[in-house]
């Protein structure tokens, strides 16, 4: 039975990937993190030794605090956050309970270095259509909710990524790590490499691949995703504004992949009225 002010792994797993997911704060000490350098999806790592400095970042938001076993470290940090006005819970059983349940874990080693504020930086070509909106959505919802995305002219992507300590993605370079591989698009690669190959995300990946690689035969919904993506690219001249709008689009497609693929909507047919 969960302790007060705690949340189960199953319940948190239903929230991860949605716009309503709380901030997942991983407070495991460095030695515990070295033992298993993976993160619950969308986690941010913070140290309780300087909790007074990062509490302000959570004001007005809800949080789930994670330590190794769900004992005093996370309960103390959550209590500290609550007294500052943050709605904070702990993960029942901690990181170990999540891992033992076989839920997804993101390998920190696959991520670019974090900036001074703990954010990952990602660089790609300007004027996104499908993959370059789908990938930022995946990162913001499952990897780093505060990730920074830089959209720049194609010839400048590699140099900007190097200068700003970011990861280049979806670029026309056969040697690029975060890019197309064979018939797979960049979204496919990220789902696999980041340990996120759950059935809903694999289903969504098929839609993205079909829309991004002109293969609508891969999924009936791929043509609709492509149409919506091209429409957004015509509405917005600013790439970051387009990304903000695209977040809602992919939120909807993800929830359909996760919860509603079997649901249908049939308009009632007009039956002729029977004579008395």
């Amino acid at each position: 039975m969960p302790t007060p002010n705690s949340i189960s792994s199953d319940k948190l797993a239903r929230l991860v990937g949605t716009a309503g997911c709380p901030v997942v704060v991983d407070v495991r000490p460095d030695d515990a993190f070295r033992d298993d350098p993976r993160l619950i999806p969308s986690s941010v790592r913070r140290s309780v030794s300087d909790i007074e400095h990062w509490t302000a970042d959570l004001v007005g938001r809800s949080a789930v605090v994670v330590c190794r076993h769900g004992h005093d470290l996370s309960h103390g940090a959550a209590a500290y956050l609550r007294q500052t006005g943050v709605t904070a819970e702990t993960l029942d059983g901690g990181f170990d309970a999540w891992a033992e349940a076989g839920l997804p874990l993101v390998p920190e080693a696959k991520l670019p270095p974090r900036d001074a504020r703990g954010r990952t930086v990602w660089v790609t070509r300007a004027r996104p259509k499908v993959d370059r909106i789908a990938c930022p959505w995946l990162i913001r919802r499952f990897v780093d909710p505060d990730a920074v995305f830089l959209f720049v002219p194609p010839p400048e992507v590699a140099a900007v990524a190097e200068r700003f300590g970011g990861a280049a993605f979806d670029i026309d370079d056969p040697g690029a790590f975060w890019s197309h591989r064979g018939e797979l698009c960049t979204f496919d690669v990220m789902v696999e490499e980041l340990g996120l190959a759950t059935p809903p995300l694999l289903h969504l990946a098929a839609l993205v691949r079909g829309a991004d690689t002109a293969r609508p035969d891969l999924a009936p919904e791929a043509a609709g995703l492509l149409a919506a993506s091209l429409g957004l690219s015509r509405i917005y001249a600013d790439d970051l504004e387009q990304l903000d709008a695209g977040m809602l689009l992919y939120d909807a497609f993800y929830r359909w992949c996760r919860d509603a693929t079997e649901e249908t909507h049939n308009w009632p047919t007009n039956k002729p009225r029977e004579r008395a």
Side-chain angles (χ1 to χ4, degrees):
M1 181 177 182
T3 56
N5 297 310
S6 70
I7 185 173
S8 68
S9 292
D10 287 344
K11 187 173 180 180
L12 180 59
R14 293 289 294 176
L15 294 172
V16 167
T18 70
C21 184
V23 181
V24 182
V25 186
D26 187 325
V27 296
R28 287 178 293 160
D30 289 343
D31 57 345
F33 185 71
R34 283 193 293 269
D35 289 342
D36 193 336
R38 297 178 295 171
L39 294 164
I40 291 172
S42 79
S43 291
V44 295
R45 284 200 70 214
R46 295 290 185 267
S47 172
V48 295
S49 64
D50 61 352
I51 191 171
E52 69 275 12
H53 298 300
W54 50 264
T55 299
D57 296 337
L58 301 178
V59 172
R61 306 164 77 178
S62 59
V64 173
V65 184
V66 179
C67 66
R68 190 169 196 167
H69 304 297
H71 293 162
D72 60 300
L73 190 60
S74 58
H75 280 283
Y80 187 99
L81 293 176
R82 287 195 296 272
Q83 62 86 30
T84 65
V86 177
T87 302
E89 298 177 294
T90 63
L91 179 63
D92 194 42
F95 177 90
D96 285 355
W98 179 282
E100 289 167 7
L103 293 166
L105 288 165
V106 176
E108 174 76 9
K110 294 287 179 71
L111 305 181
R114 307 216 178 224
D115 67 10
R117 294 174 58 184
R119 305 172 301 180
T120 55
V121 179
W122 305 79
V123 187
T124 192
R125 297 170 289 140
R127 304 310 303 137
K129 299 296 186 295
V130 180
D131 228 0
R132 283 167 287 148
I133 296 294
C135 291
W137 171 84
L138 183 75
I139 292 165
R140 284 257 176 93
R141 290 289 185 253
F142 290 90
V143 179
D144 177 6
D146 298 317
V148 175
F149 294 97
L150 307 180
F151 295 93
V152 301
E156 310 301 331
V157 171
V160 170
E162 182 177 359
R163 182 175 293 274
F164 288 86
F169 71 97
D170 199 48
I171 58 176
D172 188 15
D173 178 355
F177 187 77
W178 299 114
S179 201
H180 285 224
R181 297 181 189 174
E183 294 186 351
L184 301 180
C185 64
T186 309
F187 187 87
D188 289 299
V189 172
M190 286 192 172
V191 166
E192 291 291 343
E193 293 285 353
L194 295 173
L196 298 171
T198 63
L201 283 175
L202 290 174
H203 193 161
L204 181 58
L207 273 63
V208 173
R209 191 183 328 125
D212 192 60
T213 62
R215 296 183 60 193
D217 56 297
L218 293 179
E221 300 77 20
L225 176 57
L226 176 60
S229 301
L230 295 179
L232 286 177
S233 74
R234 299 302 189 274
I235 293 172
Y236 296 98
D238 184 285
D239 295 337
L240 293 175
E241 290 182 0
Q242 183 184 341
L243 174 57
D244 287 343
M247 293 294 291
L248 180 59
L249 176 68
Y250 280 93
D251 282 345
F253 271 96
Y254 172 68
R255 289 302 296 272
W256 177 79
C257 289
R258 196 187 77 174
D259 303 325
T261 54
E262 302 302 318
E263 186 174 332
T264 60
H265 177 69
N266 296 314
W267 189 258
T269 57
N270 292 322
K271 295 182 180 180
R273 299 175 66 180
E274 296 181 1
R275 292 185 179 180

